[in-house]
Amino acid sequence: MQALYAQLLVGLINGSFYALLSLGLAVIFGMLNIINFAHGALYMMGAFAAYFLLNLGGINYWWALLLAPIIVGIFGMILERTMLKFLTGLDHLYGLLLTFGIALIVQGVFQNYFGSSGLPYAIPDQLRGGMNLGFMFLPIYRGWVVVFSLVVCLGTWYLIEKTQLGAYLRAATENPTLVRAFGINVPRMITLTYGLGVGLAALAGVLSAPINQVRPLMGADLIIVVFAVVVIGGMGSIMGSIITGFALGVIEGLTKYFYPEASNTVVFVLMVLVLLVKPTGLTGRAA
Amino acid sequence: MRQIISTMLLGTAIALAATSAAMAQDKNVKIGVLTDNSGLYADLGGPGSTVAAQMAIEDSGLAAKGWKLDLISADHQNKPDIGSTIARQWIDVEKVDIFMDVLNSGVALAVNNIVKEKNSILIDTGAATSDLTNAQCSPNTIHWVYDTYMLANSTGQALVKAGGDTWYFLTADYAFGHALERDTAAVVVKSGGKVIGTVRHPLNTADFSSFLLQAQASKAKIVGMANAGGDTTNTIKQAAEFGIVSGGQKLAGLLLFITDVHALGLKVAQGLNFTETFYWDLNDGTRAFSKRFSERMKNKAMPSMVQAGVYSGLLHYFKALEAMGGNPHDGAKVVAKMKEMPTEDALFGKGTVRADGRKLHPAYLFEVKKPEESKGPWDYYKLVGTTAADQAFRPLSESVCPLVKK
């Protein structure tokens, strides 16, 4: 029983990465209608940004949490301005191919210069050590990841669903022409939205840097699972992606305990089941 | 008289034909480096193995003697099916004579069969499974650098002797992990220890926390990591986080490479014990080679033992070809010649290739230095113990390889 609690908690930790990443994907898909396959590469860039900030600039983890998403977000906005914006109104397939190509190029370049086993990034001193919870030893850093990503996820949800700015955004997806008629710069808003989604990916990258190696392929390994999460949760649904992110982390964690050999596939089995029963995803609305 | 002359002429013609045939001995060799060029093992083999092969070709001096040595490489992506397809194409279409590196035990076992079937050559420097020279041994294969039996024997025995008598295994769920776990468990039991549990994780896993918690709950004194490359570095890093070592358990890296230690950093890796058969800073010979190697690497990395093995194995192959006066394009024949000749190079010292295809050389037990002991980048290991070449590997008396005459 104790072991079970521990696995639930560990699942929640992984779930927070799934949630952050699928949230970014959902935001981008919801506003830009683009399936952002470069998300994994941008997540990786976030981790590398943190590494370089620390090792070249002496800028610590806390500042990296703020700066890395901004740096990578700007990179994302440049991508949007120079390439993605030309895909508006085209079939999803074009966006998918373009972003997938970008991901391959970015990963290839990083791998060329930094190899495959990656670079070390230490846990910040303030978050070292752990607590004994009775049923498990919880590293403080992992606890921090869960709390921080929950706050960021809910904050993003609030921003998009409950504020004036969010209302503009949602309106712009429904009818961009009409929103422009109100004097709102829709293309700029879309660029900023893409930047926000990318920033969320980079933030997840910074959070994961001390846990995993900072590796060029860290995103490629993760992104496939995250896409399954998004499909299960329902494309474009903000709250849906947050909840499924955490839930699937927990389910995966339990699989690692009961039948570890299947832990890499359980998410995809669930995806197939959900698609069979409810093709729009658990929280998705019919198109 | 006329008849005599014509007979003599005929005789001369035949003799001439024979000598010219000997002179036209084929001196073309095609070398294929089949490895993981982009995945979790790319740093310990990958492009570095191709660099090592190129260096062996240059250092052999064969080009100056009229030989034509070609080098190609490919990425098997750690998938046995892809590795097999490339291997068949290389032999049938590209006319590759010899396969080098071939890390990943799953891929290696598949390629081993194809190489045997097509009478090509495999010098495996990257795969770990000891089956390559035991149940699956082949007259066309030499296993050059290390194997699971040797790792288990050296690291396993040392740790049990130091008091680590209960083990829990974290095993990569494929041929390599299974072999390493099996061989280590055998040594542990033989030395008086006990295996109290095992958990198998999929290859290329990012998060080990679930598995580490299970290892922690087992209360085993030693957590044996029967995995490699990125999987091992992630395990070690996360084990530190979950307080495995500070809780009194000891991590045993059964297979670690210098590139892994570099990736982890000394702060995390310090104190780990493990076995390798090559380290760049062993002697003048290894230092000289490694310096040249590192200069040619994009990230200035020192060679891993896998990459060093590619260089050493190829040099021996070239010596055998030279002794034969040409390339017979007959895998089994060349391998037999390589087994006849003693091996010697600056990297692994003097050695031999045994009947079962096992290359013998000493094995070194290393300990990772503390950050303050290290004098600079890549200065990572302290030599703790050496096992002699004839003691390090599986004795022939235990072998089930049909090539071994009993």
Side-chain angles (χ1 to χ4, degrees), chain A residues 109-165:
Chain A
V109 168
F110 274 79
Q111 191 156 30
N112 193 30
Y113 287 101
F114 306 106
S116 64
S117 31
L119 307 157
Y121 190 90
I123 294 177
D125 289 335
Q126 297 90 332
L127 298 175
R128 271 175 197 284
M131 292 176 282
N132 198 338
L133 300 181
F135 58 91
M136 76 174 283
F137 179 89
L138 175 70
I140 290 174
Y141 187 79
R142 302 255 175 170
W144 153 255
V145 167
V146 176
V147 174
F148 184 71
S149 48
L150 250 184
V151 169
V152 171
C153 284
L154 293 176
T156 312
W157 170 79
Y158 186 84
L159 177 76
I160 290 175
E161 300 285 343
K162 300 286 171 199
T163 62
Q164 177 87 41
L165 181 70

Side-chain angles (χ1 to χ4, degrees), chain B residues 149 153 157 160 184-193 395 398:
Chain B
Y149 185 97
N153 199 26
Q157 216 168 46
V160 178
T184 314
V187 169
V188 168
V189 172
K190 205 169 123 192
S191 325
E398 285 177 27

